[in-house]
Amino acid sequence: MALVLETIAAMQAYPASAGVQASACNALCNMTTASDAHGDARAQAAVDAGALPLIIAAMRTHPDSASVQERAIGALRNFSGGIDAQHGARRQAVADAAAVPLIVAAMHKHLAIAAVQEEACAALAHIAHGEFSPRDALGAMAVGAITRIVKAMQVHPGNSAVQEAACGALWNITLGVGASRNACMQATMSAGALPRIITAMRAHSDSAELQEKACDVLGSIAAGADALRDRRRQAAAAAGALPLVIAAMRAHPGKAAVQEAACAALGNITAGADAQREARAQAAVDAGALPLILVAMRAHWMYPSVRLAGRFALRQLEEPQGICSWLCCG
């Protein structure tokens, strides 16, 4: 706690010094990085001590400093994460502090710097994550955020960390509810996210974490309860999503999270009531989806979520008229 207070005092004393602000934000980021009770306690202590408005002020005062922006966003990412009882309130506090437009502005200003893009995508993913997520606050900037996330993927195709963080952000942003979720899914498609996701899966097939997040977002944009969901499903299939999802299952058989996300994506993409639904389902079957789903369910029998996702995918592939959606009520 003493180090937190000293760091905050330095930020208060030298607001015009980019070096001091960058170092202070870096210290706050490092202190709160651990994804355990200790990291959460330090994050809460920093927020309680008044760190959040100082970080926001640093971002506003030093928009041209990539180091300030990167470390400040890293601290916001950590404040927005966690597993403790206060993590939802911290996320809301970050959103209420107008962090999202500042993060989006930093992404625009420092597009060429992969570290800024990675931290920004990860922070947006955290802000949009969880049961207590302030999705309404994020919604005001959702289209702008989605555009910048997709741009980061386009500019840094070889950076798996950027691609993974970007897919995670797109997934969480498209997991809202009701009309706001539908708008975010359509904005994701309109921003050109689909070909970027496909490119990332092809380029980084050895990254289980990226494949998981990519399958997650493919499954999300192929879900929903709006009139355009079947078009999104067909667009995903036409872009080559099905064989890539199946390839991810083959490449990472021991990763339960990959198998679950892939099964959910297969189920959502092959669901529907449109004229192309049967062709999508047949394409998945022809690519070898059925035995892989069964293997995943057997190999990860101890994970109910994997079995549930597998059963859902099997139902879509076996029922020509299947119209349910894994996430349609989300």
Side-chain angles (χ1 to χ4, degrees), residues 125-151:
H126 277 205
I127 294 169
H129 177 71
E131 180 181 357
F132 301 104
S133 156
R135 289 197 174 96
D136 289 342
L138 184 61
M141 285 299 298
V143 175
I146 290 168
T147 300
R148 298 321 309 175
I149 291 166
V150 173
K151 191 68 175 177

Side-chain angles (χ1 to χ4, degrees), residues 229-243:
R229 65 179 178 176
D230 285 345
R231 292 186 186 179
R232 293 193 298 271
R233 288 164 173 158
Q234 185 58 31
L242 290 171

Side-chain angles (χ1 to χ4, degrees), residues 204-259:
H204 305 283
S205 59
D206 58 338
S207 172
E209 292 77 12
L210 185 147
Q211 296 296 316
E212 174 195 347
K213 294 296 188 296
C215 288
D216 280 333
V217 69
L218 286 173
S220 181
I221 62 177
D226 59 318
L228 297 176
R229 65 179 178 176
D230 285 345
R231 292 186 186 179
R232 293 193 298 271
R233 288 164 173 158
Q234 185 58 31
L242 290 171
L244 287 172
V245 171
I246 292 167
M249 297 182 74
R250 285 199 182 97
H252 306 283
K255 297 290 186 179
V258 173
Q259 300 300 312

Side-chain angles (χ1 to χ4, degrees), residues 66-77:
S67 58
V68 169
Q69 298 297 315
E70 177 193 345
R71 293 295 82 199
I73 294 170
L76 294 176
R77 176 203 65 201

Side-chain angles (χ1 to χ4, degrees), residues 27-70:
L28 289 170
C29 182
N30 289 338
M31 281 186 273
T32 58
T33 292
S35 56
D36 56 20
H38 298 294
D40 291 346
R42 289 190 290 270
Q44 190 60 46
V47 171
D48 291 342
L52 181 54
L54 292 172
I55 293 170
I56 296 297
M59 293 182 72
R60 288 196 174 112
T61 303
H62 304 285
D64 296 326
S65 171
S67 58
V68 169
Q69 298 297 315
E70 177 193 345

